[in-house]
Amino acid sequence: QAQLVESGGGLVQAGGSLRLSCASSSRTFSSSAMGWFRQAPGKEREFVAGIPRGGGTTSYADSVKGRFAISRDNAKNTVDLQMNSLKPEDTAVYYCAARLGTFAIRDSSQYTAWGQGTQVTVSS
């Protein structure tokens, strides 16, 4: 079983909202910066949002700024991604990822733990 498990994906109309959740079974969750990435068919995996290990200042891809919000609950070992005003171009498999360190960076190769992904489909 994966240490990170995503949930909350599904089919939604353009303009709608979804909330993704990532649950960690790792004892190092509170020591890890967390990120959300996504990958659409035929495209490279891209950074979506990140949050430091202690929470606080978050970072986002330009394409989702103002629409998505990442948050974490270290007491529950979860990190969420609230997605509002969804667009068809948001359609992708969304992955939760973790790296031991303070900051969530945008380079996917720096993350050492990954979930199996959850599908988000936005229809026109």
Side-chain angles (χ1 to χ4, degrees), residues 31-34 97-105 107 110-113:
S31 299
S32 300
M34 303 296 298
R99 63 177 296 270
L100 288 173
T102 301
F103 303 108
I105 59 177
D107 184 356
Q110 301 300 305
Y111 291 79
T112 57

Side-chain angles (χ1 to χ4, degrees), residues 57-105:
T57 303
T58 55
S59 58
Y60 300 92
D62 289 343
S63 60
V64 307
K65 285 181 179 177
R67 299 189 297 119
F68 291 11
I70 187 172
S71 61
R72 69 188 296 162
D73 185 342
N74 285 353
K76 300 293 185 182
N77 277 21
T78 58
V79 58
D80 289 359
L81 183 69
Q82 178 66 46
M83 305 185 295
N84 300 323
S85 301
L86 283 162
K87 305 175 181 179
E89 52 262 45
D90 295 319
T91 296
V93 177
Y94 283 71
Y95 297 90
C96 175
R99 63 177 296 270
L100 288 173
T102 301
F103 303 108
I105 59 177

Side-chain angles (χ1 to χ4, degrees), residues 3 6 27 40-42 45 56 67 75 77 95 102 109 120 123-124:
Q3 290 186 321
E6 303 95 336
R27 68 181 69 181
R45 185 176 300 173
R67 299 189 297 119
N77 277 21
Y95 297 90
T102 301
S109 69
V120 172
S123 62
S124 301

Side-chain angles (χ1 to χ4, degrees), residues 23-68:
S24 173
S25 60
S26 174
R27 68 181 69 181
T28 63
F29 177 81
S30 62
S31 299
S32 300
M34 303 296 298
W36 284 96
F37 295 78
R38 67 187 182 187
Q39 187 167 21
K43 296 185 177 181
E44 298 295 320
R45 185 176 300 173
E46 66 173 339
F47 172 83
V48 176
I51 188 166
R53 72 183 201 181
T57 303
T58 55
S59 58
Y60 300 92
D62 289 343
S63 60
V64 307
K65 285 181 179 177
R67 299 189 297 119
F68 291 11

